[in-house]
Amino acid sequence: MATIKKSKKRFIIPICIVLVVAIVAAAVAGAVAKSRSSTVALNTISTGDINENVSLTGDVTAGSVKEYKVGTVATVKEVFVEVGDEVEEGELLATFDVSGLDSQIAQLQTSYDTALQNYNASKANKENAEEMLDLIDEKIEETQDRIEELENGEKKPTTTKARPTYTIPTTQSTSRTTRPTSERTSSSTEPSSSQAPTRPSINTITEALIQLNETLTSISDDLDTIADMSALISGELAQAIADGELNSDVIAERVGDAIARAIVSGMIDSAKLLVESGAAADMVEAAVAQIDFEAIARGVADSDNIALTAAEIQLASLTAQRGIYKAQTNTTILEAQRTSLNSTKLALDTLKEQKKEMGEGWKAAFDGTITKVDITPNSQTTLLSAGITLENLDNMTATVSLSEYDVHKVRKGMSATIKTAYGLYQGEVTSIAPTATGGSDSSVLDNVGSQMGISGLSSLTAQGAGVECKITIFDTDANIIPGFDAEVEIQTGSYKDIPIVPIESIVLEKEGTYVYLYNEEDSTVTKTKIETGAVSDSAYEVTSGLQVGDRIIAIPSADYEEDTFKIKVQ
């Protein structure tokens, strides 16, 4: 059977027709859509009035509130009022037995006196340390010059202004205990002849004396006493090395005996020591015994080296003393003691004031109504006890929180409208707090709200930071009750005959505020940035970018693809 071959043209022709129809339909639909998107209504910029407001939600409270707090331990004698009572200024509300407060005041007074004494001592130490630092620095410089002379082999007289030399009595006995002689080595250990003579390291001496001074600070907290003991110890160490004595135990005994004699003779005031006299000398002796003098002074054989060693010991002592004085100039301790002193003083003054007020009895500070009573006769109060609350309900206040974008608009004396469930009341801004309280997470809401002409968005969240603002409410009546919320509108400005643009004609973007300005010559509109000023719920003041008579798109679309395009005016 023969095969019949079908022509492909019978399929191609219908397909082409379908494609042509589809293309034509799409073009027509696009033209219709474009025609529709290009047909717009225009607004003409004109002048008008704007009454600028800040709208917020606030709490209604009594204009005058007096809370009588107990805040201490006392006994309630009598309570003369109940919740709801009307009282007059000066009327007695409650009486107390405050005889038990005397012991509390005495304890606080002792604490305050101690804190004051500690603060004054620290302050004096700091001032003394600052003065001594200058003197120590001068001595360090002179001693360094002396060391340089000795190292160069020069024998020039020194002008160092050293502390006064101590003359230690040798005949007076001391009460301190000493270790048995058998535990000490009476002779010094001579260095091996095979060892190369080396001069003592200034860093080694300094470190040893700094450690020794740490012991001294545990013996006394008086800077002068510490400095005197440090100088005495340094002198004894230098003399021992000059005498050729390098045994640590023997040197320690010499230093301990010198400290003990200085205390007995009064050269060191025992009253300024934190421990007993004998214990102080023993502590110094034990600390000195830990120093390896053989390592420090090994190789000292002639007078020049001995002099150099003594000078370096003096420099090390001065450096160690400087560390003590430098630490005392730090203000951290002083500031901590000042804080403690102020806290104790505040507690003392508060308790004295409470005793005076409660001893005379609580009296009404003004005419008003008792709204809370949390004490009963013959009961014992505690530090956490509440008391009595007196409010003047004839004067009402609305309290609102101003955001960082609204606070600069509001001023004392501005008029306000307060709306409650029972009507409208007039008021006036009477106070604005100097600082903000609360968090700042919702400030972005206020930024957006400010651009949209909506104030107080931060008050819708618990996290918004705000400045407390109080509005006195005029002509109050029984329908406005403390504790309820109220809508508050503050009139922040009135502007007459200014260029305005309808709020619906504006496009708000991150970069700024825009309108679509019409060019009649070529029937196009161009996206144009403008600056705005005052704002109401229906219009913005135009400060730049537009002029009276300009025409703009009345209600811009959000899906314009170009900044400039042709339009057809509706």
Side-chain angles (χ1 to χ4, degrees), residues 206-241:
T206 301
E207 291 171 3
L209 289 177
I210 287 176
Q211 293 177 2
L212 183 58
N213 278 345
E214 290 178 359
T215 299
L216 298 183
T217 57
S218 67
I219 295 175
S220 176
D221 56 5
D222 180 70
L223 286 180
D224 287 336
T225 301
I226 295 174
D228 289 343
M229 295 174 71
S230 179
L232 176 58
I233 292 169
S234 299
E236 285 294 321
L237 296 181
Q239 185 60 50
I241 293 176

Side-chain angles (χ1 to χ4, degrees), residues 69-72 101 105 108 342-358:
K69 297 286 188 180
V70 178
T72 187
L101 296 183
I105 292 176
L108 274 177
N342 292 339
S343 299
T344 308
K345 182 68 164 58
L346 178 61
L348 178 61
D349 291 344
T350 300
L351 189 57
K352 287 181 177 179
E353 183 62 27
Q354 285 179 338
K355 179 187 176 183
K356 181 177 181 295
E357 182 179 334
M358 295 173 69

Side-chain angles (χ1 to χ4, degrees), residues 36-42 507 509 515-516 525-527 553-567:
R36 288 177 180 173
S37 64
S38 299
T39 302
V40 298
L42 299 179
V507 177
E509 295 183 357
V515 296
Y516 284 87
V525 290
T526 300
K527 185 178 180 181
I553 293 181
I555 304 178
S557 173
D559 56 1
Y560 292 148
E561 296 181 356
E562 298 177 343
D563 289 345
T564 300
F565 53 90
K566 284 185 174 293
I567 65 165

Side-chain angles (χ1 to χ4, degrees), residues 133 136-137 140 213 317-327:
L133 267 180
I136 290 289
D137 287 338
I140 287 176
N213 278 345
S317 176
L318 291 171
T319 304
Q321 290 181 51
R322 190 184 191 282
I324 296 175
Y325 287 121
K326 184 64 177 178

Side-chain angles (χ1 to χ4, degrees), residues 131-208:
E131 294 177 0
M132 289 300 297
L133 267 180
D134 293 336
L135 180 60
I136 290 289
D137 287 338
E138 180 182 346
K139 290 182 177 180
I140 287 176
E141 183 178 355
E142 293 173 349
T143 306
Q144 288 173 333
D145 291 341
R146 173 61 176 164
I147 290 173
E148 184 177 354
E149 292 175 0
L150 291 171
E151 287 177 336
N152 294 332
E154 301 177 8
K155 299 182 179 180
K156 298 179 181 179
T158 180
T159 58
T160 302
K161 301 176 182 178
R163 297 181 63 88
T165 303
Y166 289 98
T167 304
I168 309 299
T170 57
T171 58
Q172 298 187 28
S173 61
T174 68
S175 59
R176 77 184 189 94
T177 57
T178 57
R179 291 169 294 168
T181 307
S182 59
E183 296 182 10
R184 309 189 189 104
T185 304
S186 59
S187 61
S188 60
T189 303
E190 297 296 336
S192 172
S193 58
S194 62
Q195 294 176 327
T198 58
R199 191 170 54 79
S201 167
I202 183 61
N203 291 331
T204 305
I205 301 173
T206 301
E207 291 171 3

Side-chain angles (χ1 to χ4, degrees), residues 403-425:
S403 75
E404 59 182 311
Y405 296 95
D406 292 333
V407 70
H408 301 294
K409 304 175 185 177
V410 179
R411 298 288 183 272
K412 289 177 62 176
M414 285 184 172
S415 299
T417 301
I418 299 91
K419 181 181 179 181
T420 69
Y422 295 95
L424 294 176
Y425 300 86

Side-chain angles (χ1 to χ4, degrees), residues 444-457:
V444 65
L445 295 176
D446 294 310
N447 189 13
V448 174
S450 179
Q451 294 183 19
M452 298 176 61
I454 303 174
S455 301
L457 284 184

Side-chain angles (χ1 to χ4, degrees), residues 411 413-417 426-429 471 489-492:
R411 298 288 183 272
M414 285 184 172
S415 299
T417 301
Q426 297 303 309
E428 180 180 293
V429 177
I471 298 97
E489 191 172 86
I490 303 173
Q491 289 80 55
T492 57

